[in-house]
Amino acid sequence: MTTAAAGGADAVPPADKHPSIPPSVPVPRKSSDGPAGGPGRSRRSVTGTRRVIAALFLAPALVLLGALVVYPIVYSVYRSFFDQAGTGFAGFGNYKALFTDDTIRTAIKNNAIWVVFAPTVSTVLGLIFAVLTERIRWGTAFKLIVFMPMAISMLAAGIIFRLVYDANPERGVANAVWVGVHDTFADSAGYPKAHPLPVHPLKAGGGGSFVTKAPVRAGQPVQLPLVGVAPAKMPSSAKPAKAATAEPGKVTGTAWLDFTKGGGGSPNVIDAKELGLKGIKVEAVKDGKVIASAKAGADGMFTLPASADGAEIRLPASNFREPYNGVEWLGPTLVTPGIIGSYVWMWAGFAMVLIAAGLAGLPRELLEAARVDGANEWQVFRRITVPMLAPVLSVVLVTLMINVLKVFDLVFIISPGSSLADANVLALQLYRSSFGTDADLGIGSAIAVLLLLLVLPVMYVNIRRIRKEGRR
């Protein structure tokens, strides 16, 4: 039996018997299995060349990154372990000072307040603005106005709000509004520093009040002249004073500014150019008890009932209090909330724009389906809109948290020198500790390292979120 017969019909002839390949030509192999120096080696060499070229292109950027980022970080960590002169090893002494020095502890506390409130309020306002302006015709114009402060530098915004928070209501918008609201529901300011002259029929009554030197009688007009009020400070609605006429069974009188602008006039005499003390309160007092009271009109005239006969007329101290000048926005108590308010004014527009972009990408069919199922707008917002916007809200919140950890400009510009220590933050303290005649670079470097450590967790959360979004 031959070999072909033994192998059957499927037997493969030897290579030298293959009909299409001559015996002297070797059978070609795959390039991946080729010998050294073949096509596989060529492909690997091309890949290596590309990596070298890429490394050469990245080298300048890596050098700059190392010089501008890595080296300062490493040197700051190194310098934080040395004393003020930089020659003596201080160990962890500088870090210990961060939590024992009252000024730096105040900065850490204020930074915590900033991180909690500034990003949260900005994000919430941005969400509210984005949702409320989604369906209105002029929503785009509103968003443009809210976003406009982002075009202003921190320096300019600080100058603006330094004027807004000015304590003088004539310059500070915040206090002008506050004083206007206060005076709407309470008595306006009286006549501070007003007082009688020795020749006047008034004397000091104790506690800042003034009383008549003798009891008054019904039917006899009473004169209550005062001085010490600048004509420019008189109410704009005050009119020229008029002498009161006698009325039987009543006590009448006039309270006026016994001062003639430009000079002239006589004491205890109502001259033509002298103004009435509009709104001044007059009380009739007997045995230490107030039995009647009245307020002078625009011309200074007032009327008391017959029960005031034989009483002393008193001008209570409330007439002479200092005018209400509003709130000290940049005082030790409110300086940090006030500066946070300026930050929110700037960055709420940033949050609104990002949230509005995320809101535009929500599937409308889900919202409409919820409304068809009977959900009201609040339920749709709370159970559907907010959960679906969670990734966008987290981006905005994390971005603003990193931003407020570095806040410096607004605090430095807005807070006055008297409240600078109360408004202090870590970035500002870093500047104050690192520069100046009494600079301590060891403390400054320790603050820089602390800021880095505070930013790292927020950055880690942000990187994890970005990677998670990339895997979707």
Side-chain angles (χ1 to χ4, degrees):
M1 184 181 292
T2 63
T3 305
D10 296 331
V12 179
D16 58 346
K17 299 296 184 179
H18 199 283
S20 60
I21 302 176
S24 59
V25 179
V27 177
R29 299 180 180 180
K30 295 180 180 179
S31 60
S32 59
D33 297 331
R41 175 68 177 274
S42 176
R43 179 174 297 179
R44 287 192 296 271
S45 63
V46 170
T47 303
T49 303
R50 290 177 177 175
R51 289 177 179 174
V52 172
I53 295 174
L56 291 176
F57 275 103
L58 288 175
L62 292 176
V63 170
L64 287 176
L65 185 66
L68 300 179
V69 178
V70 178
Y71 171 73
I73 292 176
V74 174
Y75 183 76
S76 296
V77 175
Y78 167 79
R79 184 65 178 83
S80 67
F81 290 103
F82 287 84
D83 59 10
Q84 181 176 7
T87 56
F89 184 73
F92 288 94
N94 292 327
Y95 292 96
K96 183 180 179 181
L98 300 184
F99 301 97
T100 55
D101 184 270
D102 291 337
T103 303
I104 302 178
R105 287 170 61 185
T106 300
I108 295 174
K109 181 194 71 175
N110 288 339
N111 257 100
I113 295 174
W114 272 87
V115 169
V116 172
F117 289 100
T120 304
V121 175
S122 300
T123 304
V124 170
L125 284 179
L127 176 62
I128 293 174
F129 291 155
V131 172
L132 293 183
T133 59
E134 186 184 19
R135 297 185 178 182
I136 58 177
R137 179 180 298 178
W138 44 271
T140 302
F142 179 83
K143 291 176 182 177
L144 177 63
I145 294 173
V146 175
F147 187 76
M148 197 176 296
M150 284 294 298
I152 302 175
S153 67
M154 286 281 197
L155 173 64
I159 295 173
I160 290 171
F161 274 86
R162 181 66 181 268
L163 296 175
V164 168
Y165 291 136
D166 195 292
N168 188 348
E170 296 179 357
R171 290 184 306 198
V173 176
N175 258 350
V177 174
W178 192 266
V179 170
V181 173
H182 172 272
D183 290 347
T184 302
F185 298 98
D187 292 337
S188 59
Y191 300 93
K193 299 180 181 179
H195 60 277
L197 291 175
V199 297
H200 287 162
L202 290 168
K203 64 179 181 180
S209 65
F210 300 101
V211 297
T212 54
K213 295 177 180 178
V216 299
R217 295 297 176 184
Q220 297 179 1
V222 182
Q223 292 183 335
L224 303 177
L226 292 173
V227 295
V229 182
K233 298 294 184 180
M234 291 289 289
S236 58
S237 56
K239 297 180 180 179
K242 294 181 179 179
T245 57
E247 294 185 23
K250 294 183 179 180
V251 176
T252 60
T254 304
W256 82 98
L257 180 64
D258 194 12
F259 172 81
T260 301
K261 189 176 181 180
S266 302
N268 295 328
V269 177
I270 300 176
D271 297 306
K273 296 182 179 180
E274 295 175 348
L275 299 176
L277 296 173
K278 179 185 177 182
I280 196 168
K281 188 176 182 180
V282 181
E283 297 176 342
V285 181
K286 282 184 179 180
D287 301 326
K289 296 181 180 180
V290 178
I291 59 174
S293 65
K295 284 190 175 182
D299 55 5
M301 295 178 59
F302 62 89
T303 302
L304 294 170
S307 58
D309 182 43
E312 292 180 334
I313 301 300
R314 180 173 69 183
L315 301 178
S318 59
N319 291 314
F320 311 108
R321 71 186 188 278
E322 290 293 330
Y324 181 74
N325 286 321
V327 178
E328 192 178 3
W329 297 103
L330 299 181
T333 304
L334 295 177
V335 61
T336 294
I339 300 174
I340 290 176
S342 67
Y343 179 89
V344 171
W345 176 76
M346 290 191 67
W347 288 87
F350 167 81
M352 178 196 65
V353 170
L354 292 188
I355 295 171
L359 195 61
L362 294 183
R364 299 297 165 177
E365 57 271 14
L366 292 180
L367 305 179
E368 296 301 327
R371 295 187 180 100
V372 170
D373 289 340
N376 57 38
E377 291 300 323
W378 169 246
Q379 290 173 328
V380 171
F381 173 76
R382 184 166 59 92
R383 297 181 179 274
I384 299 178
T385 304
V386 173
M388 295 187 70
L389 283 175
V392 179
L393 295 177
S394 65
V395 170
V396 174
L397 196 62
V398 169
T399 302
L400 294 180
M401 287 177 67
I402 296 174
N403 186 267
V404 300
L405 282 171
K406 303 179 295 181
V407 68
F408 166 83
D409 324 55
L410 291 177
V411 180
F412 185 71
I413 297 169
I414 295 178
S415 55
S418 58
S419 300
L420 189 61
D422 299 286
N424 200 15
V425 291
L426 284 173
L428 177 58
Q429 185 59 39
L430 170 61
Y431 168 79
R432 297 172 68 186
S433 297
S434 302
F435 301 97
T437 55
D438 57 343
D440 188 337
L441 291 180
I443 296 290
S445 299
I447 296 175
V449 174
L450 177 61
L451 273 174
L452 176 64
L453 295 177
L454 293 176
V455 170
L456 285 178
V458 183
M459 293 180 61
Y460 174 73
V461 172
N462 205 24
I463 292 172
R464 282 194 61 184
R465 182 197 56 78
I466 292 174
R467 289 180 176 177
K468 186 177 179 180
E469 290 293 326
R471 290 194 295 265
R472 291 184 178 180

